[in-house]
Amino acid sequence: MDAIAAAQVLSEIGYLLRQNPNEVYRARAFSAAAWALALERPDLEELHEANQLTAIEGVGAGIAKVLAGLVESGSSSYLDRLRAETGQPARDDESTIDLGAYQGDLHSHTDWSDGRATMLEMARAAKALGYRYLGVTDHSPRIKVVNGLDAERLLAQSREREQVEKEVEGLALLQGIEVDILEDGALDLPDAVLELLDVVVASPHVKLRQEASAMTERMLRAVSNPNVDIVGHPTGRRPGSREGASYDFELVFREAARHGVALEIDCDPARMDLSPEHARLALECGCNFSLDADAHAPAEFAYVPMAAWMARRAGIPMDRILNFKPLEALTMIAK
Ligand SMILES: [Zn+2]
Ligand SMILES: [Zn+2]
């Protein structure tokens, strides 16, 4: 079993453990080990043979045992048990996700807002991973604590984008925004500004506890805005610590599909939003998906390979996932 496949197993174990409040620390340990595997991509067979699995960062005796089982049998009895205990058994209609076909990522941050790296550093990291494009989607002005971008700063950012594109050959930088979905469903930047951007990710960040009918109206209005390409982390949940927003998911997902708006599977282990269950519903509603790292630093691009199991378990075929499409096929660019 290769390191990425193993990372996905550890990631899923971390995710299932997080549903039990008593297992928060163990859950984090599994997620951290998954991330280390996705980043370092060690040769597990070799390490297992040399009895060295614990040499991997974040891998103690317990996780090493799970990895040893994976190397020996290709599956994890611990994961099977957790799936059974949490009522989320494996399904026979899971899809196949080939990460080698991965073309890019449409949701990332730089130090223009709350990212911890420059646009150049993020672009170089994306290029090193073989990506053909990267959506630079910093925050909108409402999020003051993270120095969200207004029209003027977006213009300044577009100049830097041009420079970076010259320096990092072969990578297209899509200038975008992660625009806040305000309480009434309006967006945090005027249409005239959104219109000019390559990619618009509209995300709910605040007032997630709104009453379901108001939240439904809010989300319906957001997905109806013709400038919106993707709904970012559509429920705002934080598995293990914060329940996401509750709304008429089917109604909103159907409306998103009707408007050609994709739904995000945000692969940040703190979010994992949409959940596989919600993603499956969205699939049935006709939606496309964007599998995003929501990276705030170069290393965080590894969130996607480690969480790709979510799309697989939701049964999403690759042709419904934007990131597997070449740049020319992304309709949002022309939208
Ligand atoms: Zn966000
Ligand atoms: Zn984000």
Side-chain angles (χ1 to χ4, degrees):
M1 173 168 289
D2 71 30
I4 294 298
Q8 291 187 31
V9 172
L10 299 192
S11 164
E12 186 177 350
I13 290 174
Y15 173 73
L16 295 174
L17 283 172
R18 228 169 301 162
Q19 298 176 21
N20 177 348
N22 299 323
E23 295 281 24
V24 173
Y25 292 104
R26 197 197 299 251
R28 275 197 206 131
F30 271 92
S31 297
W35 194 28
L37 286 183
L39 271 180
E40 307 293 336
R41 311 200 178 187
D43 185 327
L44 294 178
E45 317 241 340
E46 205 173 272
L47 288 172
H48 178 46
E49 215 157 289
N51 225 345
Q52 293 268 307
L53 285 168
T54 51
I56 303 167
E57 183 158 342
V59 174
I63 296 177
K65 205 172 136 198
V66 173
L67 288 175
L70 285 175
V71 171
E72 284 161 16
S73 71
S75 66
S76 163
S77 52
Y78 184 46
L79 173 60
D80 293 342
R81 199 172 76 224
L82 280 173
R83 282 174 168 176
E85 279 171 14
T86 53
Q88 299 173 65
R91 303 179 51 132
D92 54 15
D93 57 353
E94 292 183 6
S95 56
T96 304
I97 300 292
D98 171 14
L99 287 165
Y102 197 56
Q103 299 270 333
D105 196 307
L106 293 165
H107 180 176
S108 72
H109 296 269
T110 71
D111 60 5
W112 279 85
S113 66
D114 61 348
R116 299 184 298 282
T118 64
M119 199 190 302
L120 180 62
E121 289 165 329
M122 294 299 279
R124 281 190 173 140
K127 165 85 184 176
L129 290 168
Y131 291 1
R132 309 303 303 275
Y133 54 83
L134 176 65
V136 176
T137 54
D138 279 303
H139 287 285
S140 64
R142 159 80 172 255
I143 313 277
K144 289 206 175 57
V145 286
V146 302
N147 200 18
L149 276 71
D150 57 12
E152 204 175 312
R153 290 188 68 227
L154 276 165
L155 182 65
Q157 193 190 35
S158 75
R159 292 191 200 106
E160 184 172 319
R161 192 262 300 249
E162 272 173 46
Q163 286 309 312
V164 172
E165 265 195 331
K166 274 183 207 149
E167 265 185 73
V168 186
E169 233 178 283
L171 179 83
L173 283 177
L174 309 178
Q175 195 185 7
I177 192 86
E178 181 178 10
V179 66
D180 240 59
I181 301 175
L182 304 177
E183 217 173 321
D184 63 354
L187 302 178
D188 188 29
L189 278 168
D191 285 340
V193 174
L194 298 178
E195 237 163 55
L196 300 173
L197 298 169
D198 298 322
V199 53
V200 173
V201 179
S203 304
H205 286 112
V206 294
K207 303 267 183 216
L208 298 172
R209 303 316 311 156
Q210 250 176 341
E211 194 245 323
S213 64
M215 193 72 202
T216 302
E217 288 307 313
R218 175 181 177 184
M219 296 304 286
L220 284 174
R221 186 171 171 196
V223 299
S224 305
N225 183 307
N227 296 306
V228 171
D229 300 303
I230 297 166
V231 179
H233 45 75
T235 76
R237 74 183 191 142
R238 300 251 170 190
S241 65
R242 181 173 83 197
E243 253 186 81
S246 173
Y247 49 91
D248 187 334
F249 293 107
E250 186 169 343
L251 192 63
V252 171
F253 294 169
R254 285 198 190 284
E255 195 65 5
R258 203 166 73 79
H259 289 276
V261 171
L263 296 181
E264 182 177 70
I265 295 178
D266 188 311
C267 294
D268 181 335
R271 292 193 177 277
M272 301 182 107
D273 181 15
L274 293 173
S275 68
E277 297 74 26
H278 276 137
R280 189 172 279 273
L281 174 64
L283 178 70
E284 287 160 9
C285 292
C287 294
N288 284 329
F289 296 87
S290 187
L291 201 55
D292 301 325
D294 196 354
H296 287 66
E300 293 177 6
F301 285 123
Y303 288 159
V304 173
M306 85 188 232
W309 64 269
M310 299 180 73
R312 201 176 65 228
R313 277 177 77 73
I316 303 171
M318 287 173 63
D319 65 0
R320 297 277 289 273
I321 300 176
L322 298 180
N323 322 70
F324 294 119
K325 295 187 191 295
L327 184 59
E328 310 76 60
L330 289 180
T331 50
M332 67 180 62
I333 309 305
K335 193 162 132 179

